[in-house]
Amino acid sequence: MENSAEDSTQRRSDVAVKGQAAIKSEFLTSKEKFHGFIDSEWQGSKEDKGSENDKAEEKAETCVEEPEPKKLKLDPEEKEKAWKSDSKRLRGQNKSRPHTKPTTYDEKRLCLSVIRDDRQCPFGDKCHFHHDVAEYMASKPSDIGDSCYLYDTFGKCGYGLSCRFAKSHTTPDFKTMEKTDLVKAYEGRNLVRNSLSKDLQNRLRKRSVAFNKSEEYLKTLSKNKKEQQGNGDACEAVRADQTGGGQPLSTDAETQAQCCPDKQPPVKTVGPLTDVDLIKLRPCEKKQVDFRDKLYLAPLTTCGNLPFRRICKRFGADITCGEMAMCTNLLQGQQSEWALLKRHESEDLFGVQVEGCFPDTMTRCAELINNNIDVDFVDINSGCPIDLVYKKGGGCGLMSRTRKFEQIVRGMNYVLDVPLTVKIRTGVQEKCNIAHKLIPEMKNWGISMITLHGRTREQRYTKLADWDYINSCSKLASPVPLFGNGDILSYEDAMKARETGVSGIMIARGALIKPWIFTEIKESRHWDISSGERLDILRDFTNFGLEHWGSDTRGVEKTRTFMLEWLSFMCRYIPVGLLERVPQKINERPPYYMGRNYLESLMASQNVGDWVRISEMLLGPVPKNFMFLPKHKANAYK
C-alpha cells in the first residue's frame, strides 16, 4: 500500500486506503461492528450498578464522541458553507475544553491537622475543613482498592484517612498504621528534587531575590546600546562578542582599543594579561555533558509529566527534560509552573525547558534556576508553534528575531554553570527554511547542543519531517552536537535517522504512542507487546501518579486526567502481530480492527468513553461530575 502524507484520509469499509495502516484482512472490521463489540463485552463483564439508562446518561456526561477522520479538501465556497454549519463543534488544542478543577471532586475535605494527628487546628473555628472523622468517613467516596501503593512501598501514607485506599492502612478506630522497617529505609531519602520552597516563593512574590550576575549582563547590554550610536558598526560587533560569553579574547581587546581608545574596557583587569585569562572557561563550560548517541525524550507539554518520564526511563530513555515552563511564571513564584521543574531520582541526565521572549526575564530566570534547583542542562524553547507563545515573540518567534535571540542566549550562558541547549524548527513559514542560516550563528553564541524538529511552524504535524534538511544542518552545526526530531515510531525509523549524521535523536509522539520504543531501538527489534503488558505499563503510571499527585480524591482524579491525555495518543498504536506491513508509520491512521482479545480491541478505540473505561480498571469509577475532552483531539494524519 502506497503511503503519502499529502493525501487526505477517506474511510472505506474493509478496504485499505492511502493514509491508513496496512492491517491483515482478518482483523479489519467496520465502525459499527467495532463499537458494538466493545459495548456489548463491557456491559457483560461489568457488575450491575444501575440501570442501562443510568449508564447511558453517565457515559454521555463523561465523554464526547471520537474525532472524525480528516476530510478531502473542499472548494472555497463549499469550505465556507461547511465551516458555518460546523462552527460550534468542539475542537482540540485547548479550544472550548471543559476545565474541571480538582476541588470540584471533593465536597468538603478533611483538615490537615486531623490527617497529621496534630492536637489542635491552627485556624480554630475559622477552619472550613472537616474535623469530625466519623462525619467525614460517612461522606467520603468508597475506597478504590484493598491495597495502597504508598503504604506498601514507603511504609506509610501521608494522606491518612483521606486516601482512597485508606482501609489498607487504617485501624477500626480510624488510626493510620505504619511499617517501621520501610519508613526507616526511606528516611532522609529525597526521591523528588527541585521543589519550590515557601521561603523562595515569598521572596519571589516580594521581588526581593537578588539577580547579581543578570544585572551585570543587562548593564552591559544597555551600555552597548548607547555606545553603538557613536562608535560605528565595527565597535558594535566587538562589544556584542565581549559581553556575551565571559572574558574577551586578546584580539577582540586590540580591536576595541583601535576603535575606541578613550573608552574603558567592560571587564576590569588587575595586572598583566596571562594565559589563565585567555583560556578561562565560559560559565556554560563549567559542567560538561556528553549528549552524543543518546535517546532523548522530548519535553512534552501536558503528557511529559514526571510519572510518564519515569515510565520512559525504565524503557531506556537516556535524556529527559521537564515540560516547557514560562519564565515569567517562574519569576513570579507560581507553584504550578515550578512543578514542571521537578526531577525524580531515576532521571540521571535531566534538563528543564524554559520559554520567553526578552533577554532580561530569560537571563534572570536562568540565574534563578542555576542557584536553586539541580539540573544537568537548560533548554530554550524556540520551536513552540502555538499562537499564545508565538504572537508575543517567544517559541518559533525567536527564530525571526535573531538579535533578541542572541542576547537571550549570551545572557543565559553568562549566568549558568550548566550547558545551554536550544530546540528549534526548520522555520516559521512553510517551504521557507531558515534553520541553516541560524545554526552557524548559534555556534558563535555558545550553544552546547541544538535540537532540530524537521517541520516549520505552519506545517505543525501535517507533513513528514524533512530529514534531508536535518542532515545538511547537522553538518553545519559540527562540532556542536545536533539532535534530529520527527516521525520516529520504530527502530527502523531511528536507524534511518542515525544514518543522516545527527549526534542523537529526540523522540516525542513516538514515545507517547509506544513508550517501549526506547527498548526497541536499543535492542533493534519490533516488540509485539501484549495488551496485558500495556495495561501493566498503565498500572505503573497510575502508581507513579498517586505517588506524585496524591492518593486522595484530588490526586486520583488528576492522575486519571493525565492518563486520559496519554491514552489519546496510545490508542494510535497498532500491535505488530496485526500489521500486514511492519513497521507502523507515524502518519498512518489506524483503521477499525478487532484485536486478538477484548482488551487489545478496547485499547484501539478512539472513543473517549472507552479511555474512561480503561482508567476505571485502575482508578475506580469516575465521579458523577467528571468531564474530559482530550487536549490533542485533532489528529495528525493526512
Side-chain angles (χ1 to χ4, degrees):
M1 182 183 68
E2 183 181 358
N3 175 45
S4 173
E6 298 179 359
D7 292 339
S8 299
T9 300
Q10 180 182 3
R11 284 224 172 122
R12 303 173 188 171
S13 59
D14 302 328
V15 179
V17 297
K18 291 182 180 180
Q20 283 188 357
I23 293 181
K24 295 176 182 177
S25 58
E26 60 264 31
F27 296 105
L28 291 173
T29 186
S30 64
K31 179 178 180 180
E32 293 74 18
K33 290 181 180 178
F34 176 82
H35 286 298
F37 170 73
I38 294 293
D39 293 338
S40 62
E41 290 289 328
W42 178 263
Q43 296 295 347
S45 61
K46 189 175 180 182
E47 294 181 2
D48 294 330
K49 293 184 179 180
S51 66
E52 295 297 323
N53 293 333
D54 292 338
K55 293 175 183 177
E57 290 176 3
E58 182 181 352
K59 182 179 177 181
E61 289 177 358
T62 58
C63 66
V64 294
E65 291 300 317
E66 65 183 270
E68 291 296 324
K70 298 266 182 167
K71 299 178 181 179
L72 293 171
K73 293 182 179 179
L74 304 174
D75 295 332
E77 295 180 0
E78 295 178 358
K79 189 175 182 181
E80 186 176 354
K81 290 179 182 178
W83 174 256
K84 288 181 178 179
S85 63
D86 205 19
S87 59
K88 293 184 179 180
R89 71 186 189 277
L90 292 174
R91 294 173 170 272
Q93 308 272 329
N94 271 336
K95 295 177 182 176
S96 304
R97 293 181 74 212
H99 293 279
T100 307
K101 294 183 178 180
T103 53
T104 59
Y105 301 127
D106 276 336
E107 293 183 2
K108 200 171 182 181
R109 301 181 70 195
L110 191 64
C111 182
L112 194 61
S113 64
V114 179
I115 296 175
R116 294 179 176 176
D117 293 329
D118 293 339
R119 295 183 179 180
Q120 189 174 2
C121 176
F123 299 100
D125 297 335
K126 295 181 180 180
C127 184
H128 297 290
F129 299 108
H130 270 297
H131 291 85
D132 189 333
V133 175
E135 181 185 351
Y136 170 77
M137 295 300 288
S139 62
K140 178 192 171 186
S142 59
D143 281 358
I144 296 171
D146 297 328
S147 62
C148 174
Y149 172 77
L150 302 183
Y151 177 67
D152 295 339
T153 305
F154 305 106
K156 67 176 180 179
C157 178
Y159 294 88
L161 297 174
S162 65
C163 174
R164 292 296 301 277
F165 308 85
K167 62 183 178 183
S168 64
H169 51 74
T170 304
T171 60
D173 57 344
F174 302 126
K175 298 294 182 182
T176 303
M177 298 184 294
E178 292 186 2
K179 296 180 180 179
T180 54
D181 53 340
L182 286 176
V183 173
K184 288 182 179 179
Y186 281 94
E187 189 175 1
R189 186 172 166 185
N190 190 14
L191 298 178
V192 178
R193 290 168 279 175
N194 300 347
S195 298
L196 175 63
S197 66
K198 204 65 182 176
D199 175 63
L200 178 58
Q201 186 180 41
N202 291 333
R203 288 191 292 123
L204 287 170
R205 289 176 175 176
K206 294 177 182 179
R207 299 184 179 179
S208 60
V209 177
F211 298 99
N212 298 325
K213 296 190 73 174
S214 299
E215 295 305 323
E216 290 177 13
Y217 174 75
L218 295 173
K219 283 179 182 178
T220 60
L221 279 185
S222 59
K223 181 180 179 182
N224 288 344
K225 189 175 181 179
K226 294 178 182 178
E227 291 176 346
Q228 285 169 10
Q229 300 174 359
N231 293 338
D233 294 337
C235 287
E236 176 185 354
V238 172
R239 284 201 167 81
D241 288 338
Q242 289 177 340
T243 57
Q247 298 293 337
L249 297 176
S250 59
T251 55
D252 294 337
E254 293 172 2
T255 309
Q256 183 197 23
Q258 294 173 2
C259 296
C260 320
D262 57 335
K263 299 293 182 181
Q264 293 294 327
V267 180
K268 294 182 178 180
T269 58
V270 178
L273 189 66
T274 64
D275 291 340
V276 176
D277 298 310
L278 294 177
I279 63 174
K280 185 177 289 186
L281 296 176
R282 296 193 303 272
C284 68
E285 294 177 327
K286 292 182 181 178
K287 179 178 181 180
Q288 294 293 328
V289 175
D290 184 15
F291 293 104
R292 296 180 184 277
D293 296 323
K294 287 185 169 58
L295 297 178
Y296 188 167
L297 173 64
L300 302 161
T301 303
T302 303
C303 294
N305 46 67
L306 186 143
F308 176 76
R309 297 198 304 269
R310 289 180 65 182
I311 294 290
C312 292
K313 282 297 295 183
R314 291 176 60 175
F315 281 113
D318 297 313
I319 307 173
T320 55
C321 186
E323 302 171 62
M324 180 186 73
M326 304 283 189
C327 66
T328 50
N329 295 344
L330 293 175
L331 291 170
Q332 291 169 4
Q334 291 187 15
Q335 186 72 49
S336 59
E337 208 73 16
W338 276 81
L340 305 178
L341 310 182
K342 288 186 177 180
R343 172 183 189 170
H344 191 262
E345 67 170 7
S346 63
E347 299 181 272
D348 50 352
L349 188 48
F350 173 77
V352 295
Q353 187 183 69
V354 293
E355 179 278 327
C357 51
F358 298 108
D360 55 345
T361 54
M362 288 288 277
T363 304
R364 292 190 180 101
C365 181
E367 186 173 0
L368 183 68
I369 290 171
N370 190 71
N371 295 339
N372 295 281
I373 68 172
D374 176 26
V375 293
D376 297 305
F377 65 94
V378 175
D379 186 68
I380 301 175
N381 186 320
S382 184
C384 182
I386 63 174
D387 293 340
L388 178 68
V389 173
Y390 175 75
K391 287 184 177 179
K392 69 177 184 180
C396 281
L398 283 177
M399 295 185 66
S400 54
R401 302 167 67 234
T402 53
R403 183 168 181 79
K404 288 288 184 189
F405 199 0
E406 178 182 3
Q407 291 173 347
I408 288 172
V409 171
R410 290 187 181 276
M412 294 179 72
N413 252 336
Y414 185 75
V415 301
L416 283 173
D417 294 331
V418 294
L420 180 66
T421 66
V422 64
K423 185 173 187 288
I424 60 175
R425 284 178 177 254
T426 59
V428 179
Q429 285 80 26
E430 189 173 0
K431 298 180 181 178
C432 185
N433 295 332
I434 60 174
H436 64 282
K437 300 178 183 177
L438 197 58
I439 288 173
E441 295 185 42
M442 294 167 66
K443 290 167 61 178
N444 298 327
W445 300 346
I447 289 293
S448 298
M449 193 263 282
I450 301 168
T451 304
L452 179 58
H453 183 177
R455 299 180 183 86
T456 63
R457 175 183 180 264
E458 289 184 352
Q459 285 177 328
R460 294 293 179 97
Y461 298 98
T462 58
K463 298 289 189 296
L464 292 174
D466 190 349
W467 277 92
D468 291 333
Y469 183 71
I470 293 175
N471 183 30
S472 61
C473 287
S474 67
K475 296 175 182 177
L476 291 173
S478 182
V480 175
L482 184 139
F483 274 53
N485 172 224
D487 299 339
I488 296 174
L489 190 59
S490 66
Y491 88 87
E492 291 183 10
D493 295 333
M495 293 295 290
K496 290 179 182 177
R498 282 175 169 167
E499 290 173 1
T500 61
V502 294
S503 302
I505 55 177
M506 173 184 277
I507 303 174
R509 285 181 299 159
L512 292 172
I513 295 172
K514 42 188 274 190
W516 54 91
I517 185 174
F518 302 101
T519 301
E520 288 188 346
I521 294 172
K522 290 190 173 181
E523 297 180 1
S524 299
R525 67 185 178 100
H526 297 296
W527 185 354
D528 189 9
I529 191 168
S530 67
S531 57
E533 289 173 309
R534 291 159 66 190
L535 187 65
D536 289 338
I537 294 171
L538 292 173
R539 183 175 287 108
D540 289 338
F541 177 84
T542 299
N543 292 334
F544 296 158
L546 296 174
E547 180 184 339
H548 185 60
W549 292 301
S551 59
D552 58 349
T553 300
R554 290 189 183 188
V556 166
E557 296 311 319
K558 202 164 187 177
T559 302
R560 189 195 306 274
T561 299
F562 284 108
M563 180 191 292
L564 293 173
E565 293 284 3
W566 181 17
L567 286 171
S568 69
F569 287 94
M570 208 175 186
C571 66
R572 304 179 190 179
Y573 171 71
I574 303 173
V576 174
L578 276 60
L579 287 170
E580 193 173 82
R581 170 181 48 77
V582 179
Q584 176 187 357
K585 298 295 183 182
I586 203 166
N587 64 316
E588 293 178 337
R589 186 185 185 92
Y592 286 100
Y593 66 89
M594 292 292 188
R596 291 165 291 190
N597 54 48
Y598 173 72
L599 182 57
E600 195 166 76
S601 300
L602 183 64
M603 288 182 169
S605 175
Q606 295 194 18
N607 188 297
V608 184
D610 294 329
W611 305 341
V612 173
R613 291 171 180 174
I614 295 173
S615 75
E616 288 180 330
M617 294 179 181
L618 303 169
L619 292 168
V622 297
K624 292 181 180 179
N625 55 347
F626 180 83
M627 289 189 69
F628 176 75
L629 178 69
K631 180 177 182 181
H632 300 278
K633 185 182 176 185
N635 286 318
Y637 302 105
K638 193 171 181 180

